[in-house]
Amino acid sequence: MNNSVANTGRLAWAALRMLLVLTVVTGIIYPLVVTGIGQLAFHDSANGSIVKVDGKEVGSKLIGQSWNIKGTDKPDPKFFQGRPSHSDYDPLATGSSQLGASDPRLVKAVTAAKKQVAEFNGVPESEVPVDAVTGSASAIDPDISAEYAQIQVERVAEANGLPVSEVEKLVMDHIQGRSLGFLDQPRLNVLELNIALRELAGN
C-alpha cells in the first residue's frame, strides 16, 4: 500500500514538473523567441505594415480601406478605389459574403456594381474587371489589378486637375509583379498609390 502511494506521488510530481517545463518552454520562451525574430527580421510586417505620412499613421499596406468623400458613403472621384468589401474593410470581420457564384443575390449585386463602376469611371461595362465588382475572400484586400487601376486613370486625372499621362505613369510605377515570379497577378496597393497621387497633386 505504502509503495503504491509512493509510486503515485512520484508519478504525480514527475507529471507536474513536466507540465511546468512545457509551460515555460511553449508558453514563455517560444513566443518570446518568435516575437524577437519577427521584430528583428520582419519588423515592418510584424508590426502590421503601418504606413505613415508626415509622421501620422494613415493605414496599413495589408488592409484595404474606403476612399469615400468625407462624411458620406460615396466614392471620392479624386482617389483610386479599391475592391468592394461587405464588411467595410473591418479586419475583425474578415471573410467572404458566403454567396455562391450562381446565387441570384450575388448576380444582382455584381450586375448593379458593374453598372455603377462603369458610370463612375466613364467606361463601357465590358471594360470593368472582375475585382472592381467582387470582394476578396478576406474582404480586406488592399490591392487592385492593373486593369482596374487603368480604367480609373482618366477620372482621377480630371478630378485632380492632372494630365492623364502623369497619372498613367503613376500607375505604371506602382504595379507590383507576380509573387515569386509566378503567383497571383500584377497588382497595385491602393493606399500606396493614393499617397503618391496626393503628392503628385500637391494635396
Side-chain angles (χ1 to χ4, degrees):
M1 182 68 177
N2 290 336
N3 288 337
S4 178
V5 172
N7 288 336
T8 300
R10 283 196 296 271
L11 289 173
W13 174 235
L16 180 59
R17 284 183 296 174
M18 182 60 71
L19 175 62
L20 291 174
V21 170
L22 288 175
T23 298
V24 171
V25 172
T26 62
I28 299 176
I29 296 176
Y30 177 75
L32 287 176
V33 170
V34 171
T35 300
I37 292 173
Q39 290 296 327
L40 291 173
F42 310 100
H43 181 76
D44 185 48
S45 298
N47 290 285
S49 296
I50 300 299
V51 177
K52 294 182 179 181
V53 175
D54 297 328
K56 181 181 178 181
E57 295 182 359
V58 296
S60 168
K61 290 187 290 185
L62 305 177
I63 301 174
Q65 58 182 279
S66 63
W67 294 91
N68 294 336
I69 297 173
K70 192 173 183 179
T72 75
D73 60 354
K74 296 181 179 179
D76 193 331
K78 290 184 177 181
F79 295 109
F80 285 92
Q81 299 295 315
R83 297 186 68 170
S85 170
H86 76 279
S87 67
D88 196 27
Y89 306 100
D90 184 353
L92 299 178
T94 59
S96 68
S97 65
Q98 305 300 317
L99 298 178
S102 60
D103 192 306
R105 291 171 295 176
L106 179 62
V107 174
K108 183 178 179 180
V110 169
T111 300
K114 193 172 186 179
K115 181 179 180 181
Q116 182 181 24
V117 170
E119 291 178 350
F120 183 60
N121 293 287
V123 298
E125 289 188 28
S126 59
E127 292 185 15
V128 176
V130 174
D131 63 312
V133 294
T134 57
S136 63
S138 67
I140 58 172
D141 190 347
D143 303 325
I144 57 174
S145 66
E147 290 78 14
Y148 188 20
Q150 191 60 48
I151 69 167
Q152 301 185 64
V153 167
E154 290 193 15
R155 182 255 300 164
V156 168
E158 181 179 354
N160 286 282
L162 294 169
V164 171
S165 59
E166 289 189 13
V167 179
E168 285 182 335
K169 183 178 184 304
L170 191 71
V171 167
M172 295 301 296
D173 290 344
H174 282 79
I175 293 179
Q176 303 172 31
R178 298 173 184 267
S179 300
L180 300 178
F182 65 94
L183 296 175
D184 302 323
Q185 295 295 324
R187 63 203 182 282
L188 299 91
N189 184 278
V190 181
L191 176 60
E192 294 180 331
L193 180 61
N194 280 331
I195 289 174
L197 174 64
R198 275 177 167 167
E199 294 177 355
L200 181 64
N203 296 332

